Amino acid sequence: MKSESVSDLSTSSEFIQSSVNAMMRRTKSCHSLKPKKNQVLICISGQKYKIVTEIARELQWKLTNEHNLWNIFWTDSIMGVGFCLTMQRFQKINHFPGMMEICRKDLLARNLNKMLKVFPEEYNIFPKTWSLPSNYADALNYSLKHKNRTYIIKPAAAAQGRGIYLTQNLKDINMDGMICQVYLKKPLLIDGFKFDLRVYALVTSLDPLRIYIYNEGLTRFATKPYALPTKANTGNAFMHLTNYSLNKHSESFSSDKDKGSKRTFSSLNRILSMNGYDVQTLWNEIDEIVVKTVISALPVLKHNYSASFPRHDVMQACFEILGVDIIIDEHFKPWLLEVNHSPSFSTSEYVDRKVKSGLVRDTFNLLGVNGTDRKNVLRDDQIRVKKRMTKLIRHPKEKQSLRNRRQVQYANELNETRANCDQKQAEWEANHLGGFRRIIPVAGNPEKYRDLIEHQNTTSVYKETISTTQKRQSAAMQRRAISANAVAPRPKPKKIGSDIPKNQFKSVDIGFLPNTIADWEEKERKMMMASRAFLVESCGIRSAIHRDLMLNNCLC
């Protein structure tokens, strides 16, 4: 009876109608799972932290891979210039090229020491530091003049406390790729424990410079009560180092959110206020340290950005979250220890999740990324290509002067567009701070760091040293001597075959010295190279050649 009823139902119109309705419901449900039309696409294939994925999904962003037209590329490593040049004008990446100038300990020391020579009062913000082995003689002389000092030796490019040790004797140390820093032996203590601060700074623009500090952060404590360094205790990492990756293995490590080994800035501020410290002054000084640290590498950062992103006019191509490590001494003065370009976003502790989830969420909101930028930029690029190809067809042999005028006009339009878009971005950031505070431009005092920035703006990345200046002057004198000899009439020998008198012709070795490269010339060259690459890619020339080669191989 069941088979007969099923056969009857299959031939009836009611069964067909029910099947159609079920299929329509399934189709409707499938369409409801599709991404929105102008949804933000984020590529996180190059990072390992779950919190970034969770926040992206919470904001209803779509996760994609690097081969699609993503809006944001979040990675734990620094990408090369080749990758940056292929980015579209609506795309952002979470690292600035060249940020290793302050994130490598040896490069940070070099940049800060340069600024210290010019601005000794402004840049008294870090312990005395030497790069080894290049500055070993200076460090050794300092140790001979200042007895009973303790030094901390760190690898120039390591992280998480690896390879760090204390010493009071600089004669027998490992110098290969290390830095030597005077150890602050009298830090501020809480409950007898040494601590430092992990401050999160967000850089959204280099020109003009805009930096934000997240109001919440991590206070990291050592797990052994502190004592002045001696030969007996310099090897105790749980006493002298505050790195979480080291202290989490200690038996005394505590996960208590108020009295544990890792706490928030809110908890720290309450403790300091209760003990009579001026918390606001402390944070003002920390803000200045962060700004001055970024300014110390500003010429290299700006040069690398302009060379890597010559076509970005819709938005800033980069943003970066820096983990700045600060320590406070017994006189309540903050000191810079180091800067991390990829701070950890692990959430193994309750305090980590509380701080870092808000940090990532407020960072995404501050960027103001939306899917409409992707659509508008792709449409504008198609229009530009069509106009350019039309001009090439109409004017196949246009003069060089006409091309130069068009290049100047394009550069002026590009700068104007960038200025307008940057102003809109700054207004968006000011209205969507979340848990951030802006530290530059300074509210009410936009000229506060003008002298430092102007000094760095006049400093070229191709700045000559004394030796190269002397070589250039010597080469100029030699060229003038050659020109003088070339103008003078050349004497002829009296008789054919007679020997030419000695020293009649002076040979001058002009050498082969490279000319100084101007910043504007390098920017123009990079911009034209990127424009040519974009034109070749958009016209499909590369794919056509590849297709023809494959066809020829198949025919052979």
Side-chain angles (χ1 to χ4, degrees):
M1 295 296 295
K2 290 183 180 181
S3 61
E4 293 178 359
S5 61
V6 171
S7 61
D8 294 338
L9 183 62
S10 61
T11 57
S12 64
S13 59
E14 296 178 358
F15 179 76
I16 297 175
Q17 186 64 34
S18 62
S19 301
V20 172
N21 293 338
M23 183 176 63
M24 292 180 64
R25 286 194 298 270
R26 288 195 299 270
T27 305
K28 185 177 180 180
S29 63
C30 291
H31 282 295
S32 63
L33 295 176
K34 289 185 178 181
K36 297 180 180 179
K37 185 176 182 180
N38 294 325
Q39 194 173 22
V40 176
L41 304 181
I42 180 172
C43 176
I44 55 175
S45 58
Q47 67 90 33
K48 60 183 179 180
Y49 301 108
K50 294 181 179 179
I51 191 66
V52 179
T53 305
E54 293 176 0
I55 298 301
R57 288 174 175 169
E58 180 183 322
L59 296 174
Q60 298 183 355
W61 290 1
K62 183 182 178 182
L63 307 182
T64 185
N65 55 44
E66 58 182 295
H67 302 292
N68 292 332
L69 291 176
W70 39 266
N71 294 89
I72 295 179
F73 190 90
W74 187 293
T75 177
D76 295 336
S77 59
I78 295 180
M79 307 304 293
V81 178
F83 179 86
C84 297
L85 290 173
T86 59
M87 286 175 53
Q88 299 288 339
R89 294 183 294 124
F90 60 86
Q91 294 179 324
K92 278 180 177 286
I93 188 171
N94 68 322
H95 291 296
F96 280 92
M99 193 59 78
M100 295 304 293
E101 286 289 321
I102 61 174
C103 294
R104 270 185 64 105
K105 299 178 184 66
D106 53 347
L107 301 182
L108 173 65
R110 183 192 65 184
N111 290 317
L112 291 179
N113 283 324
K114 283 183 179 179
M115 296 299 288
L116 182 64
K117 293 179 181 178
V118 184
F119 304 98
E121 295 182 0
E122 294 283 350
Y123 274 84
N124 186 26
I125 59 176
F126 65 104
K128 199 165 186 62
T129 309
W130 301 272
S131 296
L132 303 180
S134 57
N135 297 330
Y136 176 68
D138 296 337
L140 191 60
N141 291 333
Y142 180 88
S143 66
L144 295 176
K145 294 179 182 179
H146 301 81
K147 303 293 184 179
N148 299 325
R149 292 290 178 93
T150 303
Y151 304 90
I152 183 169
I153 311 299
K154 306 177 183 179
Q160 298 180 346
R162 291 190 294 266
I164 300 178
Y165 62 94
L166 273 63
T167 183
Q168 295 178 338
N169 183 12
L170 295 183
K171 293 183 178 180
D172 298 322
I173 59 174
N174 177 21
M175 295 188 296
D176 188 13
M178 309 291 282
I179 69 164
C180 175
Q181 192 173 71
V182 175
Y183 182 71
L184 296 177
K185 63 180 181 179
K186 293 185 178 181
L188 182 67
L189 304 178
I190 293 181
D191 298 331
F193 292 91
K194 180 182 176 180
F195 67 93
D196 72 350
L197 311 178
R198 167 58 61 88
V199 180
Y200 293 104
L202 173 63
V203 183
T204 60
S205 175
L206 296 175
D207 191 14
L209 185 61
R210 287 198 303 274
I211 308 176
Y212 302 86
I213 292 289
Y214 199 61
N215 294 323
E216 201 61 275
L218 299 175
T219 308
R220 306 174 302 181
F221 286 80
T223 51
K224 293 292 183 181
Y226 182 78
L228 291 176
T230 62
K231 292 182 178 180
N233 65 20
T234 52
N236 192 339
F238 296 148
M239 176 188 295
H240 296 288
L241 302 183
T242 57
N243 302 77
Y244 167 74
S245 56
L246 294 176
N247 284 278
K248 68 180 180 180
H249 301 292
S250 173
E251 297 178 354
S252 304
F253 183 83
S254 173
S255 299
D256 188 275
K257 61 181 180 180
D258 294 324
K259 297 182 179 181
S261 301
K262 187 182 287 189
R263 311 177 197 176
T264 62
F265 286 169
S266 301
S267 176
L268 174 67
N269 292 338
R270 285 195 301 268
I271 296 174
L272 296 177
S273 299
M274 290 172 58
N275 287 274
Y277 291 103
D278 188 353
V279 177
Q280 187 59 47
T281 301
L282 172 66
W283 286 110
N284 291 339
E285 293 178 356
I286 292 176
D287 293 348
E288 292 183 2
I289 288 176
V290 175
V291 174
K292 292 174 182 177
T293 301
V294 177
I295 290 177
S296 68
L298 197 57
V300 177
L301 293 175
K302 292 170 67 172
H303 171 76
N304 288 352
Y305 181 87
S306 60
S308 302
F309 306 100
R311 297 185 298 109
H312 263 73
D313 56 350
V314 176
M315 61 177 65
Q316 289 287 330
C318 305
F319 67 97
E320 183 137 14
I321 299 177
L322 299 173
V324 185
D325 292 344
I326 303 290
I327 191 171
I328 308 172
D329 65 11
E330 62 176 355
H331 302 294
F332 207 59
K333 174 181 172 57
W335 297 86
L336 174 69
L337 293 180
E338 60 184 63
V339 182
N340 299 273
H341 79 282
S342 290
S344 172
F345 285 97
S346 63
T347 55
S348 54
E349 303 291 334
Y350 167 79
V351 177
D352 288 318
R353 185 166 190 85
K354 179 180 179 181
V355 173
K356 296 173 184 177
S357 61
L359 171 64
V360 176
R361 184 184 299 105
D362 290 345
T363 298
F364 285 157
N365 291 331
L366 189 70
L367 297 178
V369 179
N370 58 78
T372 57
D373 293 333
R374 179 175 65 253
K375 179 180 178 182
N376 295 336
V377 168
L378 292 176
R379 184 184 65 248
D380 293 343
D381 286 345
Q382 292 178 355
I383 296 174
R384 287 183 181 182
V385 171
K386 290 181 180 178
K387 288 184 178 180
R388 190 173 301 172
M389 295 303 296
T390 303
K391 289 180 181 179
L392 290 176
I393 294 173
R394 292 178 180 175
H395 308 282
K397 297 180 180 180
E398 60 184 354
K399 296 181 180 179
Q400 182 68 29
S401 59
L402 180 60
R403 288 199 297 268
N404 293 338
R405 287 198 300 269
R406 287 177 176 173
Q407 291 176 3
V408 172
Q409 181 181 1
Y410 173 74
N412 294 334
E413 293 177 354
L414 184 64
N415 293 333
E416 184 178 357
T417 304
R418 284 176 176 171
N420 294 334
C421 294
D422 188 75
Q423 182 179 0
K424 293 179 181 178
Q425 180 64 25
E427 294 175 354
W428 172 274
E429 293 174 2
N431 296 324
H432 296 81
L433 290 176
F436 286 98
R437 66 177 183 275
R438 192 182 68 188
I439 60 176
I440 185 172
V442 181
N445 188 12
E447 304 295 326
K448 182 175 182 179
Y449 301 100
R450 182 184 63 181
D451 294 340
L452 302 180
I453 295 177
E454 286 184 353
H455 173 268
Q456 293 295 73
N457 287 338
T458 57
T459 301
S460 172
V461 294
Y462 306 105
K463 188 176 181 180
E464 298 174 338
T465 61
I466 296 176
S467 60
T468 56
T469 303
Q470 292 176 349
K471 291 179 181 179
R472 180 175 55 83
Q473 294 175 353
S474 176
M477 293 176 62
Q478 293 173 354
R479 285 195 295 269
R480 286 195 294 269
I482 293 174
S483 300
N485 291 336
V487 173
R490 183 173 181 176
K492 298 181 180 180
K494 295 181 180 180
K495 296 181 180 180
I496 299 176
S498 62
D499 295 336
I500 299 175
K502 295 182 179 180
N503 300 329
Q504 183 173 357
F505 302 106
K506 297 181 179 180
S507 61
V508 182
D509 183 14
I510 63 174
F512 295 93
L513 298 177
N515 294 328
T516 303
I517 303 176
D519 284 340
W520 66 269
E521 186 177 354
E522 180 69 10
K523 291 180 182 178
E524 183 178 3
R525 186 182 72 84
K526 291 290 186 180
M527 184 178 69
M528 297 304 298
M529 291 289 291
S531 301
R532 185 182 70 176
F534 172 76
L535 181 62
V536 171
E537 188 69 25
S538 59
C539 294
I541 297 176
R542 183 181 301 174
S543 59
I545 294 175
H546 179 72
R547 185 174 60 254
D548 293 341
L549 291 175
M550 294 296 295
L551 181 60
N552 292 334
N553 291 336
C554 294
L555 294 177
C556 294

